[in-house]
Every structure is written in structure tokens, then in C-alpha cells.
Amino acid sequence: MSNPLPIMPLADGLKLVIMMLGARTIHLVMEMTSSFATCPVCGKASNKIRSFYKLTLRDLAWRGTPVIIRLTARRFACVDRDCQQRIFCERIPELVPAHGRRTARFTETLSALGRASSAEAATRLARNLGLSTSADTVLRANRATPEPKMPTHRVC
Ligand SMILES: [Zn+2]
């Protein structure tokens, strides 16, 4: 199925169910679509869904309006009887890191703002862009996101 919102790229295995426009927030309800997930311990694919759970993630603002993603994800049973991981949660690392409350691109943006200025200035700028955050969160984003490597130039 093609992406109904071409201006908002979706990760593979992710489907937009509904978009709700609130007075001050945009809510995107999404769900996982892949028929299987890979066990993080043994690497075997499983299609044995055991339960569902919901994640609430802050995403980049849309024209200054905060965006909240409500994602329904699944827990799978590992198919390898010898694997020590009996149940595991499916992951989309390009969308959200494990145990994250913000999308990866939200954290990367905070980190970039923090590298360009002080944590306090980055926090003010982020809030002006619709990204609710704190100086501590900017500092944590800086630690969690490695600084991109810049090419070095020799001066003779
Ligand atoms: Zn396993």
C-alpha cells in the first residue's frame, strides 16, 4: 500500500491508521504491519504474536504544531525452543530507539540544536519550533547521538 502522506515518510512495516488534528497537537495513530519480527537474541523470525502494547512518542513538530505518535506494537514468542528470550518486542530502530519516548529524528534534532548552541539556547529554539523539551533532555540527546564526522582538510 502506498504512503497516504508522501510529505511524511514512514518506516517500512509502519502504517498510519488515522491522523487527528487537535487544538494544539497533531495525533498520529500508527500500527506495525510486518507479519513477523526477528528475535534480538537468536535472530530467528517469528510470526507468533503474543500480545499488543502501546507507545506514545513525541515526533518532530509539523509547522510548529507538536506531533504525538500513538503506536500499537506487538510482543512475539521466539520460535527457537532453546533460545533464552521467550518473548520479545518488535522494534523499528529507525523510528524509535528501544525504550524511547521520542522518535529518533526528534532526538537527532535536539542533539543538532544542542551542538550548535548552549543547552538553554537549544531548548528555547526547540520550543519555538514546537518541540517540547528541557535543557537536560537536550544534553541527554547530545550524549545519545554521536556527532557526525566532518571531513578533515589539510592545510599546507
Ligand atoms: Zn530467540
Side-chain angles (χ1 to χ4, degrees):
M1 181 177 156
S2 65
N3 181 355
L5 283 175
I7 58 172
M8 187 184 76
L10 297 175
D12 286 343
L14 196 61
K15 176 179 149 190
L16 176 63
V17 176
I18 189 168
M19 179 171 70
M20 297 177 287
L21 305 175
R24 295 187 181 145
T25 307
I26 298 170
H27 295 270
L28 304 176
V29 178
M30 297 184 168
E31 60 187 29
M32 311 290 258
T33 60
S34 177
S35 59
F36 66 91
T38 303
C39 174
V41 174
C42 70
K44 292 187 177 169
S46 172
N47 62 357
K48 296 183 175 183
I49 298 171
R50 287 297 176 251
S51 63
F52 295 85
Y53 64 101
K54 299 201 183 279
L55 295 170
T56 300
L57 308 166
R58 291 187 181 280
D59 195 17
L60 292 180
W62 199 352
R63 300 189 64 172
T65 302
V67 174
I68 302 292
I69 295 176
R70 302 200 189 280
L71 174 65
T72 300
R74 301 162 296 183
R75 293 182 186 91
F76 287 77
C78 184
V79 294
D80 186 340
R81 290 178 182 259
D82 296 328
C83 181
Q84 62 186 8
Q85 188 74 43
R86 310 288 295 163
I87 303 288
F88 62 91
C89 300
E90 63 186 330
R91 304 263 187 245
I92 300 183
E94 61 269 31
L95 176 67
V96 60
H99 311 293
R101 293 183 300 159
R102 297 169 194 84
T103 61
R105 58 189 175 203
F106 186 108
T107 300
E108 290 163 4
T109 299
L110 287 185
S111 178
L113 292 172
R115 281 194 301 273
S117 60
S118 70
E120 288 77 19
T123 301
R124 286 192 301 274
L125 181 55
R127 288 178 179 162
N128 286 338
L129 295 171
L131 306 176
S132 174
T133 191
S134 68
D136 288 341
T137 301
V138 170
L139 292 172
R140 279 194 300 275
N142 266 344
R143 286 192 293 268
T145 308
E147 189 166 353
K149 299 282 185 211
M150 301 298 285
T152 56
H153 299 282
R154 289 182 58 183
V155 177
C156 298

